[in-house]
Amino acid sequence: MFGLGPATRIYVALGATDLRKGFDGLYGIVRDRLGLEVRSGHLFLFANARRKQAPRFLYWDGSGLWSCAKRLDVEDLAGQ
């Protein structure tokens, strides 16, 4: 899916993120809050305040931005 290599870093945006944000909103968080360049080829992870919503990832693959969400295992969610 992604061409992640050994030099790829994963950055986590600490604090709560409004996961309704689109590409531009998440791009702005990476640029302004993290002080990083989205087009660096690194992976950026965002979560909401309660950590119950699917985390979102932002990744530049060289031709455009990917914005992906991962749903956590249903059994894990039922126990929370």
Side-chain angles (χ1 to χ4, degrees):
M1 180 182 196
F2 300 125
L4 303 179
T8 303
R9 294 183 179 184
I10 300 172
Y11 292 96
V12 178
L14 299 178
T17 300
D18 181 355
L19 296 181
R20 296 173 294 179
K21 291 183 182 293
F23 291 100
D24 294 335
L26 296 176
Y27 184 101
I29 291 172
V30 171
R31 183 190 61 221
D32 300 336
R33 191 184 336 161
L34 301 177
L36 298 168
E37 174 56 51
V38 172
R39 292 174 286 182
S40 62
H42 299 303
L43 192 67
F44 301 93
L45 171 66
F46 305 90
N48 69 344
R50 294 188 180 143
R51 309 289 192 258
K52 289 190 177 187
Q53 204 171 356
R56 296 266 309 267
F57 300 88
L58 192 65
Y59 176 72
W60 174 263
D61 69 357
S63 65
L65 279 174
W66 284 84
S67 176
C68 306
K70 173 153 177 79
R71 181 175 175 180
L72 303 176
D73 189 319
V74 176
E75 290 180 16
D76 289 342
L77 293 175
Q80 294 181 4

